[in-house]
Amino acid sequence: MGTDRRGPLARAGYEQVDGGRAAGANAAWWSEGAQEYLGEHGAFLGAADFCWCPEGLREERAQLLGPTADLVCRSVLEVGAGAAQCSRWLRSQGVLDVVATDVAPGMVAAAAALDAATGIGVPTVVADARDLPFADASFDVVFTAFGALPFVPDADRVHAAVARVLRPGGLWVFSVTHPIRWAFPDDPSAHGLTAVRSYFDHTPYVETDDAGEPLYAEFHRTLGDHVRDVVGAGFVISGLLEPEWPADNTNVWGGWGPERGALLPGTVILQARLPA
């Protein structure tokens, strides 16, 4: 679901896949396709803007991390940052203690190019969100906008890693594809409004080459799965948001678009805190 990039693709569909190989393939896919991805979606995302989802919800309005003025004195980590546009926006707002990570070296290189273009530097590290290279209790806030979680078979490890690096009382906010979307084809038009799969079918979406090797994969979790993973890592859920599609947003992004967005949620955003 949601792939726009073209490559040596032989087959795409829902099938079982080795999780480790798929996660490695995803890292390579995002690295090799960084420039193509940014060429297609960069204008919508902005070079130094904080967009939570294809619905176009911006942190400037939503303040899901809290008032920006309150973040100025806090340490912030972005995981699955892509080219670090969100972190770059935070730094432009005076939130200077920000670090961004991504598993794809190509995305980190793209982040450096945007740093140079905007004049806003973001410390960026190549790192797997399941194994963050930071000391325990290093950050007050951790977030990701569609990063990491859909692309690994063991998202519970991401939540556990975030819990480890957060300080007591710390905030964890993440956006992912709304789970109900997995019941529908990846078609943003009216033709994609008929459910074709069970919401409860956890079979991953996989793209493979001629040899059957995974090139890309996404892993489905129901809303209950997300809640269990978050709570299981020790968090208390403090908020859940399903952004509506704005009437003035004509952008089409993979399976997202105004026709489907008028009827079905495309994104879910969860806020959670570690107990103080």
Side-chain angles (χ1 to χ4, degrees):
M1 295 178 65
T3 66
D4 301 308
R5 183 170 169 261
R6 297 292 181 264
L9 177 63
R11 188 174 71 252
Y14 297 88
E15 60 183 83
Q16 298 302 327
V17 66
D18 179 272
R21 286 161 57 203
N26 281 338
W29 191 94
W30 284 107
S31 191
E32 294 165 8
Q35 292 306 318
E36 186 176 344
Y37 175 83
L38 292 172
E40 184 165 1
H41 301 299
F44 182 78
L45 293 172
D49 199 358
F50 194 144
C51 181
W52 278 107
C53 52
E55 287 81 1
L57 181 67
R58 259 63 183 182
E59 176 63 12
E60 184 173 21
R61 178 172 73 85
Q63 296 195 343
L64 296 176
L65 303 185
T68 306
D70 292 349
L71 295 174
V72 170
C73 59
R74 293 189 169 94
S75 298
V76 182
L77 171 65
E78 180 180 10
V79 298
Q85 295 96 326
C86 299
S87 290
R88 196 169 294 106
W89 179 82
L90 287 171
R91 287 181 66 84
S92 77
Q93 302 301 303
V95 185
L96 301 183
D97 193 358
V98 179
V99 178
T101 71
D102 198 276
V103 72
M107 279 294 184
V108 171
L114 288 180
D115 285 354
T118 61
I120 305 170
V122 177
T124 310
V125 179
V126 176
D128 190 320
R130 298 170 294 179
D131 188 20
L132 295 169
F134 305 105
D136 295 357
S138 296
F139 299 95
D140 300 301
V141 176
V142 183
F143 74 92
T144 187
F146 273 80
L149 291 165
F151 309 112
V152 296
D154 44 2
D156 57 321
R157 287 183 56 195
V158 177
H159 297 297
V162 169
R164 181 185 64 77
V165 301
L166 270 175
R167 298 183 178 111
L171 178 66
W172 168 221
V173 185
F174 62 92
S175 60
V176 292
T177 302
H178 198 292
I180 193 63
R181 292 284 301 278
W182 277 72
F184 296 85
D186 204 22
D187 180 346
S189 74
H191 297 292
L193 290 174
T194 300
V196 296
R197 296 176 53 77
S198 169
Y199 168 80
F200 299 101
D201 185 347
H202 285 76
T203 306
Y205 169 80
V206 185
E207 297 178 359
T208 58
D209 62 16
D210 285 325
E213 286 295 314
L215 301 171
Y216 177 92
E218 287 190 36
F219 297 87
H220 172 48
R221 294 172 184 88
T222 66
L223 193 56
D225 293 333
H226 284 297
V227 169
R228 280 190 294 274
D229 285 348
V230 172
V231 173
F235 289 97
V236 175
I237 293 174
S238 55
L240 187 153
L241 178 65
E242 298 163 295
E244 294 187 43
W245 194 275
D248 61 350
N249 184 1
T250 60
N251 185 59
V252 174
W253 183 326
W256 285 262
E259 285 188 87
R260 178 180 285 187
L263 300 173
L264 291 171
T267 297
V268 63
I269 306 174
L270 271 77
Q271 298 166 296
R273 284 194 180 275
L274 282 182

